[in-house]
Amino acid sequence: MVKKLLFSEKSLRGTISVPGDKSISHRAVMFGSLAKGKTMITNFLAGEDCLSTIEAFETMGVKITRNNQTVIVESEGIEGLKEPLVPINLGNSGTTARLLMGILSALPFHSTLYGDASLTKRPMDRITIPLKEMGAMIDGRENGKYLPIAIRGSKLQPIHYHTPMKSAQVKSGVLLAGLLTDGKTIVEEDTKTRDHTENMLKAFGADLTVEGNRVIINGNIPLSSCDIEVPGDISSAAFFLVAAAITPGSEVKIENVGLNPTRTGIIDVLKLMGVAITLEEKRTVGGEPIGDITVQSSNPKAATIEGEIIPRIIDEIPIIALLASQADGTTVIRDAEELRYKETDRIESVVTTLRALGANIEPTNDGMIIEGNANLTGAKTNSYGDHRIGMMIAIASLLTEDTVELHDDKCIAVSYPTFFDDLNKLLQ
Ligand code: S3P
């Protein structure tokens, strides 16, 4: 499918709320399925990735009903989970894959997992290696590096694991295996990654403590069901925050966005680059702060973006690269080699796409160098099946009078099915 993007109005004004957070929606379904009782999830993200998580637990016999953004999970707890009779389709979802492997490794049955073409190319050894150290019986292509993967669940040993890469999915997968294993499992990381697993497991009654960058979970303590209100996804909000910053005459307010400090790097980057942004923190639900963010058109300045902030902006780098192409000066992004393992190699896909649109941008091993003040032009572009590249292209098209062709816009439904509705609401 090709979408022709040519917007006659180029400024964005108004107030929207973005759909629920993808990471939190996944975890709410997973932990609700592991807990005995009824879990009500509100403002659930009904994007394709989170629907893959629902489908996975339905395949294991959990009763899950959804009415738009409200999901009810009714589970008999871990003992009630049944061996899936068919292979589990993870679609495009890395989070479902890595977290589910932690759970399935410790359950007393066999399961098989597969995904779409993109997920089939993404590395799974980052999670199968620590799980095998815990005693998990996992096999897959290249000794469990790639999907399809088969798991024969078994009794595991606790582990003290130092994650070699900055990955919340790896941390969470090991913690979930630890949740289902006698004894104390410890996961340590050099740079803190998103901590929704820790916050929500505590809300479900797990015996979990956080000491700096070390998380300790005492396993085999049953979870108790707990209602979850999902905050708006700051990674989805980021597209409109940047769009407002770089289109003249814009002012956009996004309400009820999750402001967990492990996710708010985009706010720090916008401030660092001189964008007019205000925040109003309103309340905290299940350990997750929620508030409103307002951005006005600005004249952004280039910045060097590196170090501990990278995991806090890992999903926002494509749209930050577009912002940098409009800033004064040269922006350098470093320490972001994890981009190579996303839905696409996002160093390659961002560079190829922004170049096609007329930006001056160079890839590096672990990031990119972006010259500012680019005059973007029309082009034939491709999302390469990556939702965040698709949305970056749509926002870039606001900066040119020419038509931008976007091949494969469908993938945007992975995380933001109502993206074009919200864009149209804000266009003035
Ligand atoms: C996620 C963690 C991040 C992020 C992904 C969602 C999660 O991946 O890019 O979109 O829900 O834990 P990594 O932990 O692999 O960096």
Side-chain angles (χ1 to χ4, degrees):
M1 268 281 292
V2 183
K3 193 169 177 83
K4 292 211 167 162
L5 302 166
L6 178 62
F7 299 105
S8 51
E9 307 298 341
K10 306 284 188 190
S11 54
L12 300 176
R13 298 189 75 82
T15 302
I16 56 164
S17 31
V18 290
D21 188 272
K22 179 158 80 68
S23 295
I24 296 178
S25 297
H26 279 300
R27 286 157 173 83
V29 171
M30 291 184 183
F31 305 170
S33 299
L34 296 177
K36 190 169 183 161
K38 188 166 164 177
T39 293
M40 181 161 85
I41 308 165
T42 47
N43 199 36
F44 176 79
L45 168 64
E48 284 166 8
D49 266 17
C50 300
L51 297 178
S52 294
T53 294
I54 290 190
E55 217 181 289
F57 283 93
E58 283 176 334
T59 313
M60 288 184 266
V62 181
K63 185 173 172 214
I64 305 179
T65 39
R66 184 171 72 84
N67 189 352
N68 299 320
Q69 281 72 47
T70 301
V71 172
I72 301 195
V73 182
E74 289 168 272
S75 174
E76 295 300 316
I78 293 156
E79 285 75 31
L81 295 177
K82 294 188 185 68
E83 182 168 71
L85 300 180
V86 290
I88 296 175
N89 183 359
L90 307 163
N92 190 246
S93 179
T95 306
T96 315
R98 274 77 175 239
L99 273 61
L100 198 56
M101 284 185 206
I103 295 171
L104 293 173
S105 293
L107 292 177
F109 51 68
H110 178 268
S111 51
T112 309
L113 307 176
Y114 72 102
D116 71 5
S118 151
L119 195 61
T120 304
K121 284 189 221 126
R122 294 175 67 186
M124 295 297 148
D125 52 345
R126 50 181 51 207
I127 183 64
T128 58
I129 288 171
L131 292 175
K132 283 180 186 174
E133 271 182 49
M134 295 176 81
M137 291 189 271
I138 303 179
D139 200 5
R141 287 192 306 123
E142 292 192 27
N143 198 23
K145 182 167 182 185
Y146 297 112
L147 291 167
I149 277 178
I151 302 176
R152 163 129 343 255
S154 59
K155 203 170 157 50
L156 305 181
Q157 303 300 315
I159 190 178
H160 184 155
Y161 192 62
H162 196 127
T163 52
M165 68 284 292
K166 302 167 215 160
S167 168
Q169 293 178 353
V170 172
K171 171 176 67 176
S172 301
V174 176
L175 287 173
L176 288 169
L179 172 78
L180 306 176
T181 299
D182 286 334
K184 279 199 167 94
T185 289
I186 302 173
V187 184
E188 255 181 282
E189 45 189 0
D190 290 331
T191 310
K192 200 171 172 72
T193 60
R194 67 187 65 189
D195 61 1
H196 307 300
T197 297
E198 294 90 307
N199 294 339
M200 203 187 291
L201 278 179
K202 277 193 216 159
F204 275 85
D207 179 357
L208 178 146
T209 42
V210 179
E211 294 169 359
N213 288 358
R214 170 196 283 235
V215 189
I216 305 153
I217 188 159
N218 201 3
N220 273 339
I221 292 175
L223 299 185
S224 20
S225 52
C226 162
D227 290 345
I228 299 289
E229 177 190 339
V230 182
D233 197 327
I234 192 163
S235 300
S236 298
F239 293 96
F240 294 115
L241 300 177
V242 169
I246 60 182
T247 50
S250 296
E251 177 163 337
V252 168
K253 180 175 183 179
I254 308 186
E255 291 182 316
N256 301 320
V257 182
L259 297 176
N260 177 317
T262 63
R263 295 286 299 284
T264 49
I266 180 67
I267 294 171
D268 300 343
V269 167
L270 288 166
K271 284 183 181 163
L272 181 69
M273 295 179 75
V275 171
I277 177 166
T278 51
L279 278 191
E280 193 193 332
E281 203 169 309
K282 297 198 292 200
R283 60 207 167 90
T284 297
V285 281
E288 300 285 344
I290 298 182
D292 300 342
I293 313 175
T294 306
V295 165
Q296 292 167 335
S297 341
S298 305
N299 293 314
K301 301 187 299 280
T304 297
I305 302 168
E306 61 187 349
E308 73 71 43
I309 199 170
I310 296 295
R312 299 174 55 238
I313 53 169
I314 194 67
D315 291 338
E316 289 69 75
I317 292 178
I319 195 68
I320 290 172
L322 175 66
L323 169 67
S325 78
Q326 302 305 304
D328 254 343
T330 305
T331 293
V332 179
I333 300 176
R334 293 196 193 102
D335 303 323
E337 61 283 354
E338 275 299 307
L339 289 176
R340 299 220 178 259
Y341 309 111
K342 297 298 172 190
E343 287 81 337
T344 51
D345 172 341
R346 284 193 182 146
I347 295 180
E348 286 306 319
S349 54
V350 165
V351 168
T352 310
T353 305
L354 287 180
R355 269 189 190 157
L357 289 162
N360 187 351
I361 174 169
E362 287 297 325
T364 60
N365 284 343
D366 66 348
M368 51 196 93
I369 301 168
I370 310 142
E371 296 298 334
N373 294 322
N375 275 324
L376 299 191
T377 58
K380 284 189 178 169
T381 65
N382 199 316
S383 68
Y384 307 108
D386 183 334
H387 52 131
R388 300 200 199 278
I389 301 297
M391 290 186 274
M392 178 194 75
I393 291 169
I395 300 301
S397 76
L398 299 173
L399 301 174
T400 168
E401 298 302 318
D402 308 333
T403 301
V404 174
E405 273 188 23
L406 167 58
H407 289 249
D408 193 358
D409 62 307
K410 281 251 174 327
C411 58
I412 291 175
V414 158
S415 65
Y416 200 160
T418 52
F419 173 78
F420 283 107
D421 300 335
D422 284 342
L423 178 58
N424 284 320
K425 257 187 235 165
L426 291 172
L427 279 171
Q428 290 291 314

